Amino acid sequence: MTIHVVGNVCVDTSFRLERLPLPGETLNAAAAGDGPGGKGANQAVAAARTGAAVALWAPVGRDAASDWVEGAIAAEIPDLRLVHLDLPCDRSVIMIDRAGENVIITAAACAEAFDPLAMTTLGDTWAAGDMLLMQGNLSTAATMACLKAARAAGLVTILNPSPLSADPLDLAAVSLIVVNRPEAEALTGEADAERAARRLLAMGADSAIVTLGSAGALLLEAGASSVLRLPPSDVEAVDASGAGDCFAGTLAGLLAQGAPLPDAARLATRAAAIAVGRPGTLASFPTLAEIAALTKTLKLENV
């Protein structure tokens, strides 16, 4: 099974501060740096580090930044299917305070212009039994078209619709939706995470996971009468940026290798906790060896 991650790549510029600035305020950062990022790239790398076969389909520009980020991601994802557009590379600015909380701003012209089914051979490359993993960076129309085509072709579809669009989402072609608590409330109108998960299934998704930050996560599978609550790991937060991507990518990678959904979600929760305890985004994600060690610890025999 190949995981086809369809999303964005960008250059992440991170600033570490004692606290986040107030409106109109200028602060000096304690540290700053550039790295490859984008939710599509992040999730593809996290999935690949589980040992799964991953193909990343994403747009980049025709500038030096695009060349640099392509080289950096190619080291992690050999099956890199990038489309070069006549635009500058997408970029994100991430501000992280000493408690690990972050604020992220993204310029996403490439992602917004990307039409995967029209601009790539994606629809001719995937096969029944493969997996499609998508995020919210592309246009809603492009995302929905990919999900529907993948479902019709017999793929397992996973959607992590972050960042959320103002456009309504049709979840009928979604095998598994992964959202955090604020996203779940925005999509369903339900402040309670369990009620939100049930509403997501009523909206068409087969299964739903709501991540709860330091409180862990909850899982509601199709046909289940009760939710499964996944306890958090005890970790001192250093940098929460990318934690959701680490969770979604690790989850997809484990599922693609045969792990049952509850087991995959438990391990993905542990992987995200490791990422939160380290600085950086991709640099903080667990390595292949660390994922293998977690797999043994949780006795996931199918992975």
Side-chain angles (χ1 to χ4, degrees):
M1 173 188 286
T2 297
I3 304 172
H4 298 274
V5 182
V6 180
N8 72 321
V9 300
C10 70
V11 177
D12 282 348
T13 299
S14 299
F15 295 92
R16 302 194 66 81
L17 307 115
E18 282 294 304
R19 60 176 177 80
L20 299 177
L22 300 172
E25 183 181 26
T26 300
L27 295 176
N28 288 328
D34 288 340
K39 294 185 72 64
N42 293 345
Q43 294 184 17
V45 169
R49 290 186 183 179
T50 69
V54 176
L56 174 60
W57 306 75
V60 292
R62 297 186 186 275
D63 53 9
S66 296
D67 294 340
W68 176 81
V69 79
E70 180 175 356
I73 295 172
E76 297 263 10
I77 311 291
D79 193 357
L80 195 54
R81 313 291 187 101
L82 299 186
V83 173
H84 291 264
L85 306 179
D86 291 324
L87 293 165
C89 186
D90 288 352
R91 289 180 174 271
S92 289
V93 172
I94 307 171
M95 294 185 290
I96 308 113
D97 69 13
R98 63 181 175 182
E101 291 298 328
N102 64 82
V103 174
I104 303 173
I105 301 172
T106 299
C110 284
E112 291 168 357
F114 186 42
D115 184 341
L117 294 177
M119 295 178 177
T120 75
T121 60
L122 175 65
D124 297 322
T125 304
W126 62 30
D130 282 351
M131 179 181 291
L132 174 68
L133 173 59
M134 298 195 73
Q135 309 79 38
N137 295 93
L138 308 187
S139 71
T140 301
T143 300
M144 293 296 102
C146 285
L147 288 167
K148 290 176 182 177
R151 189 66 169 256
L155 277 72
V156 175
T157 57
I158 301 178
L159 175 64
N160 171 225
S162 175
L164 278 180
S165 168
D167 299 325
L169 294 178
D170 180 0
L171 303 184
V174 176
S175 305
L176 171 64
I177 185 168
V178 179
V179 288
N180 62 25
R181 189 198 300 266
E183 292 161 350
E185 182 175 0
L187 285 170
T188 66
E190 297 284 358
D192 178 79
E194 181 174 341
R195 288 199 296 269
R198 295 188 183 282
R199 179 60 184 156
L200 290 168
L201 266 62
M203 292 167 64
D206 293 340
S207 299
I209 292 177
V210 181
T211 60
L212 306 172
S214 60
L218 63 81
L219 161 66
L220 181 62
E221 292 190 82
S225 59
S226 60
V227 300
L228 174 65
R229 295 189 177 272
L230 307 171
S233 297
D234 186 15
V235 63
E236 183 177 349
V238 173
D239 183 351
S241 60
D245 293 336
C246 181
F247 179 93
T250 301
L251 177 77
L254 295 170
L255 290 174
Q257 296 174 84
L261 180 53
D263 289 344
R266 287 190 184 95
L267 195 149
T269 301
R270 298 278 191 92
I274 290 174
V276 168
R278 299 171 174 169
T281 304
L282 282 182
S284 72
F285 289 5
T287 64
L288 181 63
E290 288 174 320
I291 293 295
L294 284 175
T295 298
K296 290 181 181 178
T297 299
L298 296 180
K299 299 180 180 179
L300 302 189
E301 302 296 342
N302 292 332
V303 179

